[in-house]
Amino acid sequence: QVQLQESGPGLVKPSETLSLTCIVSGGSVSSGDFYWNWIRQPPGKGLEWIGFVYHTGGTNYNPSLKSRVTLSLDVSKNHFSLKVNSATAADTALYFCARAPLKYYDGSSGPVSFDVWGQGTLVTVSS
Amino acid sequence: DIQMTQSPSSLSASVGDRVTITCQASQDISNYLNWYQQKPGKAPKLLIYGASNLETGVPSRFSGSGSGTHFSLTISGLQPEDFAAYFCQQYDSPFTFGPGTKVDIK
């Protein structure tokens, strides 16, 4: 079955770029059946959806983060990546990558739920 | 963005209890509502999608209902492995989650 694994630095300095990668095994990021997402959770707090990337390279970002976030996908390495520019302490969180199947509903289509998640990786923004 | 609220924020219950958690959306989201369970240090697990559909492999003691702005998750016969946090999530972009309900042992 498909598995997701986040990787990247656990400590980032303020104003620098936070970069993470999600390695996909048992499945392919080139599949048109799924959207590849990043979600974060500050310590002791709730979940915040960051955005998704589709196999075409198309993206959709949370407007609250859109100006600082870039998602990309590498089919040759079967992984997708997150970059958050100008990191601050508020970006300190447990970062999850997650898969969302393409669904058809009410005459529309798109991702609706997150059915497979990575284990999460804690990123601390601190000098 | 659509704001999600949950109540209660926490509750204490015993094994075998029937537990209901509610989720309210700031505007009509039809049945575009999912429920997740999260245990400490772990990723969330999808329980219910489309407000009332049980995800494959999830025990039938979990059920969901509601539409529009008011939704609920019920656990009928709480089991030891059910003590966890529960989040609702709406899928009218951008996706947003509720703040969570922590269920612990009485």
Side-chain angles (χ1 to χ4, degrees):
Chain A
Q1 77 248 21
V2 65
Q3 293 184 311
L4 307 180
Q5 177 67 58
E6 304 88 353
S7 65
L11 181 63
V12 176
K13 289 183 167 54
S15 81
E16 295 190 346
T17 297
L18 184 161
S19 297
L20 296 173
T21 295
C22 182
I23 300 168
V24 179
S25 57
S28 174
V29 298
S30 63
S31 169
D33 292 334
F34 303 103
Y35 296 81
W36 305 99
N37 296 262
W38 287 95
I39 295 161
R40 70 182 185 180
Q41 185 174 34
K45 296 188 178 180
L47 296 154
E48 179 180 36
W49 174 73
I50 299 170
F52 69 67
V53 59
Y54 195 42
H55 74 104
T56 57
T59 55
N60 188 5
Y61 299 125
N62 189 324
S64 68
L65 294 165
K66 187 174 183 177
S67 64
R68 297 193 297 126
V69 168
T70 303
L71 299 190
S72 60
L73 180 147
D74 188 328
V75 174
S76 66
K77 295 180 180 178
N78 208 36
H79 73 208
F80 60 104
S81 300
L82 164 72
K83 292 187 187 298
V84 181
N85 299 324
S86 305
T88 72
D91 295 312
T92 293
L94 187 59
Y95 284 76
F96 296 100
C97 55
R99 185 185 80 169
L102 167 66
K103 296 286 189 182
Y104 296 90
Y105 59 100
D106 297 340
S108 185
S109 66
V112 304
S113 60
F114 309 104
D115 67 341
V116 179
W117 297 63
Q119 65 184 24
T121 187
L122 179 63
V123 179
T124 301
V125 180
S126 175
S127 55
Chain B
D1 297 2
I2 297 172
Q3 305 303 314
M4 308 300 292
T5 57
Q6 286 182 235
S7 62
S9 57
S10 65
L11 65 91
S12 296
S14 301
V15 172
D17 283 354
R18 178 185 174 92
V19 167
T20 297
I21 299 166
T22 64
C23 176
Q24 183 170 344
S26 59
Q27 63 189 69
D28 190 334
I29 57 170
S30 183
N31 66 334
Y32 300 169
L33 193 283
N34 305 317
W35 288 98
Y36 298 83
Q37 175 193 69
Q38 186 181 30
K39 296 183 179 179
K42 299 292 187 182
K45 173 187 174 183
L46 179 64
L47 299 175
I48 302 281
Y49 63 93
S52 61
N53 300 289
L54 199 65
E55 175 72 350
T56 301
V58 174
S60 58
R61 63 180 179 273
F62 291 92
S63 63
S65 65
S67 66
T69 60
H70 286 80
F71 303 87
S72 63
L73 172 72
T74 297
I75 311 171
S76 301
L78 201 64
Q79 296 299 301
E81 61 268 29
D82 300 336
F83 293 98
Y86 293 85
F87 295 90
C88 58
Q89 172 244 322
Q90 63 81 23
Y91 50 93
D92 189 349
S93 188
F95 305 131
T96 51
F97 292 84
T101 296
K102 185 178 179 183
V103 177
D104 61 24
I105 301 172
K106 182 183 288 183

